[in-house]
Amino acid sequence: MEAVQLTAEVFIDTGKDFRPEDSLKAEYSCVPGETVRLSFDLTCFEKTVGFRFDPLLEDSSMVRLLRLTLLYDAGQGGNSQAEPVASAISGEKGERREIPMSRIKTNSDVDLEPIYVYLHHDPKFFVDEALCTHLAGAEVEFQVLEIGVENKSYWQDIKKSNVSQRERDQLLGKIEAAMEENRQLAEENRRLKVEHGDIYASGIWKLQHDAKGPLRVLLNKGNIVTFLVSVYVALMSELFWFNNAYYATPRPNGQVLNFQFLRFGLVFLGVFFLIVIVRAAVMKGYRHELY
């Protein structure tokens, strides 16, 4: 599965309802099923009486809300009506509270708490207003399990039907199993691609199995360029040694270019194999980064 680029948004009610000008956006990239953690600094708002979190703005989706934590101004804390609230911890910025799901509402089409299915493009999570005064920050942890669920007819059928708690639990179990299987298949596919790239990089395997045939493999652009570069370096080395010999003796002299085939061959082979090794190492690193 490939990562997708999405956008989350937090709205603050400053006493004038939820308005676009009283919001903060955060772009993030994730693979479906991957846990996303976002933090928002709310100190830019002078007054807070409501909090809303939109996990993504791009498409219909299936979202699991794992945790929503609100941070309050030092010395203020949450409203006294907020109890009982889990995980109240005092810190430098004030009180920090993990909001229980019972104090959060959402506009989902199918509710499989803590998994919610939205057949529209505007998923929202509202926190109880009694917990939203004197906010200084917010931390949200969630998973986008699937995108584009509005195109799947069975979610429309589930929305229209009254599903029992037992059926919800069974469906939730199937979703969990399917997501885990998809993650395992994606990892296995990634591993096989890397192994295939490493095996195919072997020259012998390439000659035996490449559909283009051995000659096309040998005469590919990379090998031809490597050959020409090696010949060029070997010839330049011969000229270098000749110049040294020519100018090392007083002139005029009878020094004649003495072409040493053994020396030329050794230089050619050394340069050729060095380029091949460097090119193979670079391509192997590129394949691992690509897959």
Side-chain angles (χ1 to χ4, degrees), residues 108-178:
S108 63
D109 294 287
V110 180
D111 183 355
L112 300 169
E113 186 180 336
I115 294 178
Y116 305 95
V117 179
Y118 303 90
L119 303 179
H120 51 83
H121 293 201
D122 192 21
K124 304 173 183 178
F125 289 98
F126 299 89
V127 176
D128 190 335
E129 292 182 355
L131 303 173
C132 299
T133 57
H134 308 295
L135 295 181
E139 297 174 358
V140 187
E141 187 173 330
F142 63 100
Q143 296 173 340
V144 179
L145 301 180
E146 194 174 357
I147 296 176
V149 295
E150 64 179 339
N151 301 321
K152 299 184 178 179
S153 57
Y154 58 82
W155 284 118
Q156 297 287 353
D157 296 336
I158 293 173
K159 177 184 176 182
K160 295 175 184 177
S161 306
N162 291 322
V163 182
S164 66
Q165 184 62 42
R166 180 179 178 182
E167 289 173 323
R168 287 191 177 192
D169 293 341
Q170 290 176 347
L171 184 59
L172 188 58
K174 291 179 181 179
I175 293 172
E176 293 275 4

Side-chain angles (χ1 to χ4, degrees), residues 213-260:
L215 189 61
R216 293 288 295 276
V217 174
L218 287 174
L219 298 180
N220 70 57
K221 187 183 296 185
N223 288 340
I224 292 175
V225 171
T226 302
F227 174 81
L228 293 177
V229 170
S230 302
V231 170
Y232 176 79
V233 173
L235 287 175
M236 290 301 100
S237 66
E238 283 297 311
L239 289 176
F240 173 78
W241 276 308
F242 171 73
N243 284 337
N244 279 347
Y246 181 79
Y247 290 106
T249 58
R251 290 175 293 169
N253 57 50
Q255 185 73 28
V256 180
L257 176 60
N258 186 15
F259 192 84
Q260 296 287 341

Side-chain angles (χ1 to χ4, degrees), residues 63-80:
V63 177
R64 183 207 301 269
L65 183 62
L66 299 175
R67 185 174 294 103
L68 197 158
T69 303
L70 296 180
L71 291 78
Y72 299 89
D73 287 336
Q76 299 290 344
N79 192 295
S80 59

